Amino acid sequence: MRTRISVAIHRAVPTLLALLVGAAGGAGGARPGEAQAAAAAAPVASAAPAASRAPASGAAPAASAAPAASGASASGAAPAASTAPVASNAAPAASDATSAGGAAPAGAGAVAAAALPATGSPVPPSASPPPAAPTPAAVGVPPGGGGQETGEVQTAVLAKAAAAPPPAGAPPAIGALYSLRGGLAFYDVTGAADPWAALPQAPGVLMTGAYVAGYGGRPGEAFVGPGSTGDRGVLRIDGFEVGDAASPSLPLSVNALAAESVEITTGGADPAVLQPGLQINLVERRGTNEWRLAARGVASGGPLAAAASRVRDLAPGQAASEPARGDRVRDTGAVGAELGGPLRRDALWLWGAVDRGWTALDAFGGERFTTSDLGGAAKLDARLAAGNNATLAWNRANRREDGEGAGPDRAPATTLGRRAHDDVWRLADIAILSSDLYATATAGLVDGAFRALPRGGLRTPLVLDARGVAQGSWYADDAESTSRAAALEVSDSRRIAGTASDLRLAGQWRRTDETSRFAAPAWRQLTAGQVLDLPPDQDVLDVWRDGNARQTLTREALWAVDTLRWGRVTADVGLRFDRQAPRNLASSVSAVPDDPLLGAVHFAGNDAGGIHWSSLTPRLAAAWAPGAAPGLLLRASLARYASQLAGAIPARVDPAAPASAAYYVPAFPGAPGQTVRFWYPNGFDPHLPPGLPANALDRRLHPELTDEAVVSAEHALAGDGVVGLQLVYRRVTGMLEDRLLVRDAASNAVRVATAGDWQEREVETGRLPDGTPYRVPYYDLRSGLTPTGGTLLVNGDRRQRLLGATLEWRQHLARRWTARSHLSWQDWRWQLGPEYRHYADPTPALVDGNYDGQPVGGQSPLPGGRPLYLTGRWSFDLGAAVELPGAVSAAVQIDGRQGLPLAYYRTVARDSAGPVDLRLTGRADAFRSDDLVSLDARLDKEIAVTSDLAVAVSLEGLNLLVSGQVLRRETNLGVGRANFVDEVVKPRLLRLGLKVQFR
């Protein structure tokens, strides 16, 4: 694992850049330890990816991206053949790194490794690479900008672990928890490295559905990593942080179109990483000393497009009451082109790409869903001086979707049209100040936005009928976000008392301005009484006030790490400090017509309750290569992570955030004895003026903390293979939790409700889908207490605990074939404390996590959406590729996971406390969907037209094992569609691909 550091430079970026540009100190060099250095370091033209291949006759810039485990961009370009300072954890990604002997593996497709010894001295160009350590996830893809030379294998080359340690010396790197070593790039002949294809290959990562290339990963697809949800992860481009990995404003599929590889990492002891979630890094190509052009396309339509799959295990009565057809692909494809080469040989290089993708399908139930992606990228690399290189890069991504949310539980008018875009600008400069000292400065801007509008418009209210089907229209939301960041990193390598030391001091400044808006159609949602277990003559009306929240989030970070090597041992000792501060900005929203409770809000802004998050998180790691056991490598790490301050936290005390008032209304207006009656407030306090927030934040609020311990062992096998075992323990403490604020009628005082304030009201009875009877009590507030409409957010004493194990096998490219596989097991559960029990509502709710020993993974979408559990105890992955005679290659990919929980529940209306989703089984995972196994396969044929022109064709078969298998059901047993199928596995698909490459 590669550890690095970055230092905040605030407004001093121009001065620092000027200083670095003018610095001299040896020949220009690639940033040491870059995971992608291999792509540009090799003077072996037939081995490196063509878009980033260093020609034998000239120097090309080194790769720009930092490993996914790194926290700052390192986009500096440097001549591959130049000397470079030593990196402690040099680990070429997406390559078969050399073994102890130092020779790169023979065979087409091998990528030469950067020559970085473990001694701290500059590296002569002819030096042999040391044994490489496992790298972050490097999912290789067919080279794009320059393509592949005739006869090269068109499958990814897997990153190679240390097959055997050097005869004398420390292991070269510290490993990372659940680090995806590599992948087979048969998902997309266009050359796109798709994160949605890579995620199922990462140990411990679960997704809601089976990925099918071309139309996977649409909104509604969620993912979790080992012990962390998707919103705790980070998406990066070339090491530069773009945003939350789960953010709907980041069209990942577009950003991936220009990527050469995808790195996925979680855990480990890298102090450059703040959060414990998945670190997704898209590594882009760059220009070289030779002009190269490539055009590509892939499509599935007509006879290749999959027909609607036959759905298995429909619930009784579903086929007769609603369309129950599986997805049908009408058209899907992508086209793109890229160009790269020298503007000035050995001094200035240009690369650019443009891609477009599209998908049109009929979703389960027959509703239409379409997507259209358009993306562009450009990169300019320059050698400014003998020891100084700079990179300026730009990415633009646009996505258009129509029919988001399509399914049997949504009428066509309630589906959404989404428009999203993001622009990412990055500037990086790396300077070699001396043989032992280098510095990297980075600065960047991320400007993103999305808007989702319902097809039914905003003048028709949303109606949730007794069957549980949404009619009328849906909620609209849009968001804008602008982030500015700057970082500086300094590294000094030397020997102290016979010990090699690589000290890095660094930091970062980042400011994000966010605006989020929310609107309910006609300000109203009408819910049939049956959905809430009410009498048939009574419904519920939720009246919503629009939301318009604006925040500024500032993060400052400093971190340091010293990598020490003596004998056969390497140790990393690191420490990270973060300070995060929010502020709510001025905003206003209009009053709701004809509702006196939801008046206009004119908000002047506030300091978000005065909270400032400060965290100090240590990181320790060690690796040992025992001399008595050649080929064995042992690793261990201890790390603490802090959560990132999200905009949703300060928005809780922003009175311009969305708010609603609920009313009991007659199901048959005008009937005798039927009246409208106020039920409960949500997000506002009827006793306070509209400009004051109903919620409160504990002034002692601090980040959630994740403590992690990892031990692993890897052993080299005969035949160039590696087998490894990783064990992990994770504990999350200081979990954020809401405590209900109530008003006591006797004193009119507002306080936090306790467990003693709840009384059993009724017992819900019925039968589960398998016929098992259930009998579940629920509780309501005692007489004299009413909810204020707000909550107090605190750090509670609930915990999450993860135990995990991963067994991996990797066969590196040898004798024309390569393979890798993993089998993962994990147990991720809640642990409750006495403080939580003292304040908790004793009702066995579905999503709140108020039950000891239950699996973690509950997520709650927008109002009216379905709760979702995304958790499983096991998953596996197996991929293999082989080069056949006649320039033909074949690859297969098999992924599997345990079925997802079907957490059956009923929503009940409580007179005082409002509605609650009542869990009907003792364990949330008492019922599960069927286990899921998917198979993809691909054949490639390359044809050499001339010495400079090559054509590659491919045929892919995707999701070949299953089609129509049930993934999700309607788990609300209080609606007419109870246990009906909501989602099935995407249908089988065949795709043809064509790629034309010049040079």
Side-chain angles (χ1 to χ4, degrees), residues 10-31:
H10 301 274
R11 298 186 177 92
V13 175
T15 303
L16 287 168
L17 288 176
L19 173 64
L20 295 177
V21 168
R31 173 182 172 82

Side-chain angles (χ1 to χ4, degrees), residues 648-698:
I649 293 177
R652 289 171 175 264
V653 291
D654 185 342
S660 66
Y663 299 86
Y664 291 119
V665 297
F668 310 103
Q674 296 292 312
T675 61
V676 175
R677 179 165 61 94
F678 178 69
W679 184 12
Y680 72 94
N682 174 33
F684 80 101
D685 188 340
H687 294 265
L688 297 178
L692 295 178
N695 297 315
L697 303 177
D698 186 349

Side-chain angles (χ1 to χ4, degrees), residues 177-180 198-207 222-230 264-266 276-278 726 728 730 802-808 821-828 856 870-877 895-898 900:
L177 164 65
Y178 290 148
S179 174
L180 178 61
L199 284 172
Q201 302 176 31
V205 176
L206 300 176
M207 296 178 64
F223 62 89
V224 298
S228 64
T229 53
I264 302 175
T265 309
T266 183
L278 293 176
Q726 290 180 318
V728 60
R730 273 192 172 192
L802 172 79
L803 298 175
T806 296
L807 180 65
E808 291 185 286
S821 67
H822 76 259
L823 174 63
S824 294
W825 171 90
Q826 60 182 9
D827 186 58
W828 187 16
V856 179
L870 183 53
T871 181
R873 294 174 69 89
W874 60 264
S875 61
F876 73 87
D877 167 81
D895 298 303
R897 61 160 172 80
Q898 186 180 21
L900 300 182

Side-chain angles (χ1 to χ4, degrees), residues 52 55 242 363 368 523 560 723 755 827 996:
S52 59
V242 175
R368 292 199 167 188
W523 299 281
V723 63
D827 186 58
V996 179

Side-chain angles (χ1 to χ4, degrees), residues 522-602:
W523 299 281
R524 286 161 173 78
Q525 174 182 335
L526 183 66
T527 303
Q530 177 183 330
V531 177
L532 299 168
D533 202 30
L534 291 170
D537 62 346
Q538 194 172 59
D539 291 342
V540 168
L541 177 67
D542 289 289
V543 180
W544 283 91
R545 183 171 60 202
D546 293 346
N548 181 23
R550 300 172 60 233
Q551 295 91 31
T552 291
L553 306 171
T554 303
R555 187 176 82 218
E556 297 169 332
L558 296 171
W559 62 95
V561 61
D562 196 0
T563 301
L564 304 171
R565 289 187 294 279
W566 61 95
R568 308 183 69 85
V569 176
T570 301
D572 279 6
V573 180
L575 186 65
R576 179 184 177 101
F577 172 78
D578 288 273
R579 179 179 172 83
Q580 305 178 73
R583 182 166 185 82
N584 288 317
L585 305 179
S587 59
S588 62
V589 291
S590 301
V592 176
D594 303 322
D595 193 304
L597 295 179
L598 296 169
V601 173
H602 301 284

Side-chain angles (χ1 to χ4, degrees), residues 431-448:
I432 310 301
L433 306 177
S434 70
S435 61
D436 298 321
L437 183 67
Y438 75 92
T440 301
T442 60
L445 172 70
V446 181
D447 183 30

Side-chain angles (χ1 to χ4, degrees), residues 947-967:
S947 59
D948 290 329
L949 182 65
V951 176
V953 295
S954 68
L955 174 64
E956 297 170 284
L958 303 163
N959 206 23
L960 298 177
L961 283 182
V962 291
S963 185
Q965 179 178 325
V966 175
L967 290 175

